[in-house]
Amino acid sequence: MLQPGVPISDDPISRDILLQAAVAASHAAGALLLKYAEAGFRIEYKNPVNLVTDADRAAEQCVIDCIQAHFPTHRFLAEERGRLEETPSPYLWIIDPLDGTTNFAHGYPTYCVSIGLEYEGRCVLGVIFDPSRGELFTAVEQRGAQLNGRPIHVSNARTLDSSLLVTGFAYDIRETPHNNLDHFVRFALKAQGLRRTGSAALDLCYVAAGRFDGFWEVRLNPWDMAAGSVIVREAGGRLTDFGGKDLSIYGRELVASNGQIHNAMLAVLNQKTP
Ligand code: IPD
Ligand code: CA
Ligand code: CA
C-alpha cells in the first residue's frame, strides 16, 4: 500500500503501486486546475495561437512532486520543464499537466491531466484525468483499460461511413503546409462525422472508450501520446504512424482506431492529392 510521501525502493516496483501514485497525482493536479479555472490564471503567449498559463506550470509541479515523493530516483519528461535531471532509472514518467490549454483558457471544459510511464523504453501505464467530468481513464500493460474502474473497449464500427472520427491541429498550423487541413477535408467527405476537441489525450481516451472510432494527428509530442497510447492499446485498439508501422510516441504521426477501420484511415491519409 502506498503511504503518503514515503519513498519506495523495490525494483521492479509493483504496477499497482505505480498506478496508485499516478492516479493520486492526476487527482491532485486536476483539483488544482479546477481551482485555477475558478479563481483565474495568467496567460503567456508562446505565439498568437500557442499559449501557456500559470495553471499548466502549477499542475506540472504538482504531478512531479507527488510522484517524486514516492520515487525519488525516477526520470521525468514534462511538457513545460522538459527532461529533469537524468538518473539511470529504467522508469520515465511522461507528463502533460494540462492537455487542452486553449480550451482551459476559454473556459471550455475539455482538458485533462495526462501521466504516462515508460519502463525500459516501453509505455506500460497510462492515467488520464478529466477533472470537469470526473472521468479517470487508466491502463496498465496486459491488464486492460478502465474508465472510473470499469473496463472499456474500442467500438465495433467497420466502415468510415459509420465512424465518428477526431483530429487536431498543431500550433504551427500557420507556418507549415503539413498542417493536416488536406487530411481533414478528405475525412470530412468520408466519415459519418468529424470532431476537433482540442485535447489529444482525451481524443485517445475516447477512442479507447468507443466514443470515437478513430483519431489521427500530425506533430504531436510524447506527452500528448504516452498515457493515451497505453489506454487505447489496452482497450483493444490499434496505433500506428501513417505508414502503418507501430506507433512511436517520439514520432510525429499518429493514427489510433478500433482496428477495424484502421486500414481505411491509412488509405485516406496516403491518398495522393489529385
Ligand atoms: C494540444 C492538444 C490539441 C492538439 C495539439 C496539442 P496542449 O496540447 O492536445 O488537441 O491538437 O497538437 O499540442 O498544448 O493543449 O497541451
Ligand atoms: Ca498536449
Ligand atoms: Ca499541455
Side-chain angles (χ1 to χ4, degrees), residues 204-224:
L204 287 165
C205 291
Y206 284 22
V207 170
R211 295 172 179 174
F212 290 134
D213 307 296
F215 168 45
W216 85 95
E217 193 163 339
V218 286
R219 284 194 307 294
L220 287 170
N221 287 295
W223 45 83
D224 299 311

Side-chain angles (χ1 to χ4, degrees), residues 103-221:
N103 291 343
F104 177 83
H106 286 264
Y108 178 69
T110 297
Y111 53 84
C112 62
V113 180
S114 174
I115 305 174
L117 176 64
E118 275 187 3
Y119 180 71
E120 294 181 336
R122 183 173 166 77
C123 285
V124 293
L125 179 154
V127 168
I128 294 179
F129 181 50
D130 169 352
S132 310
R133 290 174 187 76
E135 290 195 327
L136 176 73
F137 296 87
T138 54
V140 172
E141 191 175 46
Q142 288 178 7
R143 290 200 200 164
Q146 281 89 33
L147 164 53
N148 291 344
R150 297 206 170 145
I152 50 174
H153 205 270
V154 292
S155 74
N156 276 321
R158 291 211 199 142
T159 61
L160 294 182
D161 261 338
S162 60
S163 289
L164 183 61
L165 303 182
V166 66
T167 190
F169 301 95
Y171 291 113
D172 59 359
I173 184 169
R174 298 183 186 184
E175 280 100 53
T176 170
H178 305 295
N179 54 16
N180 196 29
L181 289 171
D182 49 348
H183 303 310
F184 184 83
V185 168
R186 279 198 218 112
F187 275 117
L189 299 173
K190 301 253 180 202
Q192 189 174 72
L194 199 48
R195 301 288 179 266
R196 192 283 199 253
T197 72
S199 168
L202 285 179
D203 293 340
L204 287 165
C205 291
Y206 284 22
V207 170
R211 295 172 179 174
F212 290 134
D213 307 296
F215 168 45
W216 85 95
E217 193 163 339
V218 286
R219 284 194 307 294
L220 287 170
N221 287 295

